[in-house]
Amino acid sequence: MEYYSKQISDLIGELSSLPGVGSKSAQRIAFHILNMPKDRASSLASAISNARENVKFCKTCFTLTDQDICPICSSNKRNKKVIMVVEDTRDLVAYEKVGKYEGVYHVLNGTMNPMQGIGPNDIRLKELFERLEGDVDEVIIATNSTTEGEATAMYITKLIKPTGIKVSRIASGVPVGGDLECIDEVTLLRALEGRKEL
Ligand code: ZN
């Protein structure tokens, strides 16, 4: 038996499919939305659809952005000769919040994970190596310290080494298994400054 009318159930259903939202939270959020002024609810709905419609990958670094080339790649204040490799846009944002990094990024949008059948061709590695054909001095590998993050870092290092480009790995101040975005800014800065050449 349905306790809620169809449109309320649909809203709760959609919300409960989001990560970290259980059925209780979904009901709470649904009722919060139903009690909002109509214009606030519409701007929430259009923020979701606009973001989904217009956000794409930067053509250079593959971060998520609403422009063809993201603001970091198009800035003339950033050092294009230093590229930091991160797993996703959230990691990029974590480093940007530290505010001390002046290079650019390359966002892999994943890590290699043989158990799940994710190989080098399933993440943006080919695009990274295309960028390295340009004028690049250093690649800083800042994948997470998970098994997959470490395996990806090793794979990239092996391929870059012969090119003579300097490769470094962020320091192990970042806890093993740690998700970069959950780590505080001081730890991230230390990890960046204490990076070791491989
Ligand atoms: Zn970019």
Side-chain angles (χ1 to χ4, degrees), residues 3-4 14 20 45-46 65-66 100 111 133 141 175 178 190-191:
Y3 294 100
Y4 294 122
E14 290 296 337
S46 45
T65 176
D66 50 16
K100 290 277 177 8
T111 41
E133 286 166 17
I141 304 177
R190 265 197 227 125

Side-chain angles (χ1 to χ4, degrees), residues 2 4-19 21-31 33-34:
E2 281 285 354
Y4 294 122
S5 64
K6 185 177 181 311
Q7 295 194 347
I8 302 175
S9 300
D10 286 352
L11 178 58
I12 295 172
E14 290 296 337
L15 291 168
S16 62
S17 72
L18 299 173
V21 182
S23 63
K24 275 209 172 128
S25 305
Q27 291 186 48
R28 195 165 41 81
I29 300 168
F31 279 90
I33 292 170
L34 293 172

Side-chain angles (χ1 to χ4, degrees), residues 44-88:
L44 173 64
S46 45
I48 294 172
S49 57
N50 288 344
R52 189 59 196 92
E53 195 59 41
N54 301 317
V55 171
K56 52 198 166 189
F57 293 117
C58 165
K59 286 190 169 137
T60 304
C61 73
F62 298 93
T63 192
L64 289 170
T65 176
D66 50 16
Q67 289 150 355
D68 281 348
I69 304 290
C70 77
I72 296 171
C73 289
S74 50
S75 163
N76 53 19
K77 294 199 177 78
R78 309 295 292 239
N79 180 359
K80 310 275 160 65
K81 293 183 176 184
V82 179
I83 299 178
M84 189 196 292
V85 179
V86 294
E87 290 183 15
D88 61 32

Side-chain angles (χ1 to χ4, degrees), residues 139-180:
V139 174
I140 303 167
I141 304 177
T143 50
N144 293 337
S145 342
T146 53
T147 316
E148 296 79 25
E150 292 298 347
T152 308
M154 267 169 58
Y155 184 88
I156 298 172
T157 306
K158 237 194 225 165
L159 290 175
I160 297 181
K161 267 288 184 192
T163 66
I165 296 169
K166 183 177 168 187
V167 197
S168 54
R169 177 89 172 103
I170 52 163
S172 52
V174 180
V176 173
D179 226 316
L180 271 185

Side-chain angles (χ1 to χ4, degrees), residues 88-115:
D88 61 32
T89 297
R90 290 171 302 172
D91 296 334
L92 177 155
V93 169
Y95 275 104
E96 281 304 284
K97 280 188 185 157
V98 177
K100 290 277 177 8
Y101 176 65
E102 287 165 354
V104 291
Y105 296 89
H106 188 84
V107 184
L108 295 172
N109 289 292
T111 41
M112 284 163 52
N113 188 339
M115 302 290 281

